[in-house]
């Protein structure tokens, strides 16, 4: 199977070809069509199996009609357990979207929170970050009422690190109509409970 058969658009196909992607991995074959079909998904996939592309590519495709303007509402949130993983996901999203007019930003601790607030006011489509920093920005008035995609990556690690309350609190404040995409390396009782 090819990426073309998954229904991806030319700007994304061009970007992943430039990155050397030839054939979709199992998680990409299964997840991409479901995300494009507006389904919520819960998937188990080990690190290194291409799961970032499995959620990022279809999200970018769904957000493709974005026009750049100031104070544009955030449309997708991708949470990960660590600063390092958030940085890696952000780099991937930037690489995949390089032929599109979609903006992304990283929200992690250790960076000036006021600078992050100013950056968000320029109009950002996708934010990637850790639950703690995202909650801090929500407490400072971050608007999430237009979120269309909520991604929890490495859910098992996040629960092991004690982020259950933050994830639930963020989820409760999202609009009723949104897609939730939850990825985990393991299928533990804690992850199963969170997925419900």
């Amino acid at each position: 199977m090819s990426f073309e058969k998954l229904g991806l658009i030319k700007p994304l196909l061009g970007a992943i070809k430039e990155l050397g992607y030839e054939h979709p991995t199992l998680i990409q074959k299964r997840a991409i069509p479901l995300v494009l079909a507006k389904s919520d998904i819960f998937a188990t996939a080990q690190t290194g199996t291409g799961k970032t592309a499995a959620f990022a590519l279809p999200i970018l495709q769904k957000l493709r009609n974005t026009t750049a303007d100031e104070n544009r509402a955030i449309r997708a949130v991708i949470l990960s357990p660590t600063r390092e993983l958030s940085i890696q996901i952000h780099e991937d999203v930037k690489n995949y979207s390089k032929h599109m007019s979609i903006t992304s930003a990283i929200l992690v601790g250790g960076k000036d929170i006021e600078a992050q607030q100013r950056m968000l006011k320029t109009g950002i489509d996708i934010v990637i970050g850790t639950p703690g920093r995202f909650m801090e920005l929500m407490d400072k008035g971050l608007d999430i009422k237009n979120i269309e995609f909520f991604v929890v990556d490495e859910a098992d690690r996040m629960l092991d690190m004690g982020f259950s309350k933050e994830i639930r609190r963020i989820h409760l404040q999202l609009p009723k109509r949104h897609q939730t995409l939850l990825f985990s390396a393991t299928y533990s009782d804690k992850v199963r409970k969170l997925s419900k």
Side-chain angles (χ1 to χ4, degrees):
M1 179 183 276
S2 65
F3 282 102
E4 287 88 347
K5 288 185 178 175
L6 292 176
L8 294 176
I9 57 174
K10 285 183 180 179
L12 293 172
L13 292 171
I16 60 178
K17 186 176 182 181
E18 290 164 28
L19 291 167
Y21 291 32
E22 293 180 8
H23 302 287
T25 65
L26 182 60
I27 187 64
Q28 292 161 0
K29 286 180 199 174
R30 291 185 174 172
I32 289 171
L34 291 172
V35 180
L36 291 174
K38 300 184 178 179
S39 298
D40 291 336
I41 64 169
F42 170 37
T44 55
Q46 295 295 327
T47 302
T49 56
K51 62 183 165 53
T52 301
F55 61 75
L57 292 171
I59 287 173
L60 289 165
Q61 180 153 322
K62 299 292 262 182
L63 299 181
R64 71 184 179 274
N65 295 326
T66 297
T67 52
D69 61 346
E70 274 193 36
N71 299 310
R72 182 169 65 238
I74 298 165
R75 297 173 65 196
V77 174
I78 302 168
L79 296 181
S80 81
T82 65
R83 175 181 172 160
E84 293 74 26
L85 183 56
S86 295
I87 291 167
Q88 181 184 324
I89 294 168
H90 185 233
E91 286 303 312
D92 288 340
V93 167
K94 286 195 302 185
N95 286 330
Y96 301 150
S97 63
K98 64 181 175 180
H99 301 302
M100 306 172 83
S101 61
I102 291 176
T103 56
S104 59
I106 185 160
L107 304 177
V108 293
K111 301 280 184 182
D112 181 3
I113 195 166
E114 291 177 5
Q116 291 176 351
Q117 285 180 292
R118 287 192 299 273
M119 174 192 55
L120 290 168
K121 288 181 181 173
T122 65
I124 302 292
D125 297 300
I126 302 171
V127 295
I128 302 111
T130 52
R133 177 48 58 99
F134 194 77
M135 285 292 310
E136 284 182 79
L137 285 158
M138 277 177 55
D139 291 341
K140 290 178 174 287
L142 178 63
D143 181 8
I144 62 168
K145 69 178 183 290
N146 292 298
I147 296 293
E148 297 169 42
F149 298 94
F150 179 57
V151 181
V152 179
D153 193 19
E154 301 279 355
D156 49 353
R157 283 181 65 197
M158 269 206 252
L159 294 177
D160 288 343
M161 293 170 73
F163 286 126
S164 177
K165 286 181 182 174
E166 287 86 348
I167 294 167
R168 291 174 196 279
R169 188 171 157 211
I170 292 165
H171 192 255
L172 282 171
Q173 295 188 48
L174 294 172
K176 286 188 177 179
R177 295 190 67 166
H178 72 274
Q179 275 179 263
T180 299
L181 315 176
L182 190 146
F183 289 81
S184 179
T186 60
Y187 189 53
S188 66
D189 287 339
K190 286 194 291 186
V191 171
R192 193 180 302 113
K193 188 176 177 185
L194 178 68
S195 74
K196 289 179 180 177

